Amino acid sequence: PTELSAAQEEALMASFSTAELLGDRIAVQVPGGRWSKDFMLRENSTTHLSILHPEKGVVHELAVSVLRAPGKFKRTSIVNVLPRFVLVNTSDTHLLVGQTRCSEWTLLPRRNSYDKNSEDKDLVWHWPRANRKRRLRLRVRDADGGDW
């Protein structure tokens, strides 16, 4: 199987607009990808987005939450745009993750069990193929490099 690197750190672009009757709206874009449909910025709400990157065929899954700022900033809305899925490996074994019916696999490294200060390893997950079912597959990597 093909193994992909876990480097999926791309900046997002956001576009804000205000319509008199509709209130504040936002649209989000990943670099080189399409813009999401615009949606309302409703206080204390969470919205899930799926944005297609047409050149790469990747589906970026994002969550957008809107919160009211505390104290003297209470008229300010805090908008968080986060990955919808973050996979965390708390095991002592390397894991490979992939999408159903795709040959690509992404390494999710094990934590260092010998270092008490080591942190669990995590991976921002986006679906590698838009034209495949969005179901996650998991493999365990042995110490000798074999997968099962």
Side-chain angles (χ1 to χ4, degrees), residues 34-144:
R34 296 183 179 156
W35 283 96
S36 69
K37 292 181 180 179
D38 63 331
F39 55 93
M40 294 285 295
L41 290 175
R42 292 192 183 104
E43 187 178 333
N44 297 322
S45 68
T46 301
T47 303
H48 298 187
L49 304 173
S50 295
I51 304 173
L52 175 65
H53 191 295
E55 291 176 15
K56 295 181 181 178
V58 175
V59 177
H60 292 269
E61 296 268 355
L62 304 172
V64 180
S65 68
V66 181
L67 305 168
R68 179 68 61 196
K72 65 181 180 180
F73 300 105
K74 65 183 177 186
R75 294 181 49 186
T76 302
S77 292
I78 300 170
V79 179
N80 295 300
V81 180
L82 307 164
R84 184 172 180 198
F85 302 109
V86 178
L87 307 177
V88 180
N89 187 358
T90 62
S91 75
D92 294 329
T93 306
H94 291 302
L95 300 175
L96 294 170
V97 293
Q99 183 177 358
T100 297
R101 298 186 182 199
C102 290
S103 60
E104 299 92 358
W105 291 90
T106 302
L107 178 66
L108 182 53
R110 66 184 170 105
R111 68 175 173 198
N112 184 349
S113 60
Y114 304 106
D115 180 2
K116 293 182 181 178
N117 297 323
S118 86
E119 297 180 11
D120 296 331
K121 304 299 180 180
D122 63 0
L123 168 72
V124 172
W125 177 258
H126 299 293
W127 299 106
R129 299 286 174 256
N131 59 352
R132 301 282 197 267
K133 195 172 207 170
R134 295 181 191 169
R135 183 172 292 165
L136 192 67
R137 296 187 302 164
L138 183 71
R139 284 187 172 176
V140 176
R141 173 156 287 175
D142 289 337
D144 64 0

Side-chain angles (χ1 to χ4, degrees), residues 18-23:
T18 303
E20 290 180 58
L21 298 174
L22 298 176

